Amino acid sequence: MAIIIDGNATAKALKNEVKAEVELLMTKGAKRPPHLAAILVGEDGASKAYVGSKVKDCELVGYKSTLIKFEDSVSESELLKAIQELNEDEGIDGFIVQLPLPKHIDQENIIQSIHPDKDVDGFHPMNFGKMALEMDAFHPATPAGIMELLERYSINTVGKMAVVIGRSRIVGRPMSILLGSKGNPGDATVILAHSKTKELEKYTRQADIIITALGNPGFLKADMISEGAVIIDVGITRVDDTSKKGYHLAGDVDFPSCAPIASYITPVPGGVGPMTRAMLLKNTLKAYKNNY
Ligand code: GUN
């Protein structure tokens, strides 16, 4: 039976470390704590929940936070103006624009308008490029959180074969870069699989590490993995049910069939998700230290 990677406990430990560091900085005479801002557009339930949790996390570790809300109908130029103001506000160390954005807004334009020094999501091409070149940069929070889990669970990735399923800019593609970069975690031989990949099982069955970021509940089954594989599940899909909430969260991995075969496995919820939020705090602390 696999060791279940506890993302909640690891994120809590990380947040306590961040909190202790902020307290130390303040006792040493810092004039203000780190300040994270978030822009939220529209009424999407998942986005509202994510941003709400991010604001709550800030309180928990002693950061200031600012939430800026816009209606779905906001124009791209209004959004760009708000971003410009945040870029110029010296009291704000970093900010995020919660994705996805409404279809009439060019997401790429928005991301590129964020000053790279305040891009704590690590989505700006400048940060992405620096990450790919193994230069100092903000790393996207989800893959960075997975690297942190691998490190804290002492999972050796050097020389291992890793298959990343999904090539999104937020998870899959940066994940493949980080796992293939020098270091441990890192130094893995990485296959980045996607919707056009043929015979995916051929690769996953050989993999020492599998990271799924598909949003396809229960996709990865026991017959697709080998004994002792490390399974990291990034999928979080709301599946409607008859519960009071009306839905539950489901991962990409068929947990009951894979857990007995794997060496390590992340649950959904309680695996990668909490780490994403914790890493955003870590990136904000980095921005603060650079800015302050
Ligand atoms: N939407 C889903 N995940 C994320 C994230 O990490 N950052 C932002 N800005 N939007 C998201």
Side-chain angles (χ1 to χ4, degrees), residues 39 47 50 54 96-100 121 123 140-142 170 276 280:
I39 295 181
S47 288
Y50 287 142
K54 287 168 185 174
I96 64 159
V97 179
Q98 187 66 25
L99 305 177
D121 260 331
F123 292 170
T142 301
I170 296 181
T276 299
L280 179 64

Side-chain angles (χ1 to χ4, degrees), residues 143-166:
I146 293 168
M147 296 297 273
E148 194 82 26
L149 283 176
L150 293 170
E151 186 174 357
R152 290 189 187 226
Y153 275 81
S154 303
I155 296 170
N156 180 25
T157 61
V158 177
K160 297 292 167 69
M161 208 272 246
V163 174
V164 178
I165 310 173

Side-chain angles (χ1 to χ4, degrees), residues 28-164:
K28 278 188 177 162
K31 290 206 174 60
R32 63 167 183 85
H35 188 169
L36 173 72
I39 295 181
L40 173 64
V41 180
E43 297 293 325
D44 176 69
S47 288
K48 274 164 76 174
Y50 287 142
V51 172
S53 321
K54 287 168 185 174
V55 168
K56 222 162 68 190
D57 286 342
C58 285
E59 277 169 30
L60 201 80
V61 298
Y63 290 4
K64 252 190 96 174
S65 65
T66 299
L67 175 57
I68 302 166
K69 286 190 197 169
F70 288 101
E71 305 271 319
D72 249 325
S73 57
V74 67
S75 68
E76 191 170 313
S77 60
E78 277 176 275
L79 214 47
L80 289 170
K81 188 166 159 271
I83 290 169
Q84 201 49 39
E85 281 167 16
L86 292 173
N87 281 340
E88 286 166 9
D89 187 338
E90 281 176 15
I92 292 197
D93 302 297
F95 64 96
I96 64 159
V97 179
Q98 187 66 25
L99 305 177
L101 292 167
K103 288 207 168 39
H104 66 276
I105 291 170
D106 183 339
Q107 179 177 295
E108 204 54 49
N109 248 352
I110 296 299
I111 290 172
Q112 290 193 25
S113 71
I114 299 171
H115 194 292
D117 292 346
K118 295 196 175 190
D119 169 39
V120 284
D121 260 331
F123 292 170
H124 191 285
M126 179 71 87
N127 279 310
F128 204 95
K130 284 185 169 178
M131 174 184 67
L133 295 168
E134 301 186 30
M135 295 163 72
D136 183 48
F138 293 113
H139 294 173
T142 301
I146 293 168
M147 296 297 273
E148 194 82 26
L149 283 176
L150 293 170
E151 186 174 357
R152 290 189 187 226
Y153 275 81
S154 303
I155 296 170
N156 180 25
T157 61
V158 177
K160 297 292 167 69
M161 208 272 246
V163 174
V164 178

Side-chain angles (χ1 to χ4, degrees), residues 7 23-24 32-33 52 63 66 81 84 103 125 177-178 180 191 201-202 210 237 239 248 254 269 289-290:
E23 279 166 6
L24 186 66
R32 63 167 183 85
Y63 290 4
T66 299
K81 188 166 159 271
Q84 201 49 39
K103 288 207 168 39
I177 291 169
L178 291 175
I191 290 174
E201 327 72 69
K202 229 169 59 184
I210 302 173
T237 307
V239 177
H248 65 275
D254 181 34
K289 287 181 185 165
N290 291 342

Side-chain angles (χ1 to χ4, degrees), residues 245-259:
K245 235 174 18 177
Y247 69 90
H248 65 275
L249 298 175
D252 290 340
V253 176
D254 181 34
F255 190 91
S257 79
C258 290

Side-chain angles (χ1 to χ4, degrees), residues 182-222:
K182 291 190 191 77
N184 187 19
D187 279 333
T189 303
V190 185
I191 290 174
L192 180 57
H194 46 74
S195 53
K196 300 289 190 294
T197 299
K198 290 186 179 132
E199 296 181 76
L200 176 65
E201 327 72 69
K202 229 169 59 184
Y203 305 109
T204 56
R205 281 188 197 130
Q206 288 181 61
D208 301 301
I209 302 158
I210 302 173
I211 299 184
T212 63
L214 279 169
N216 187 349
F219 172 83
L220 192 81
K221 302 231 162 26

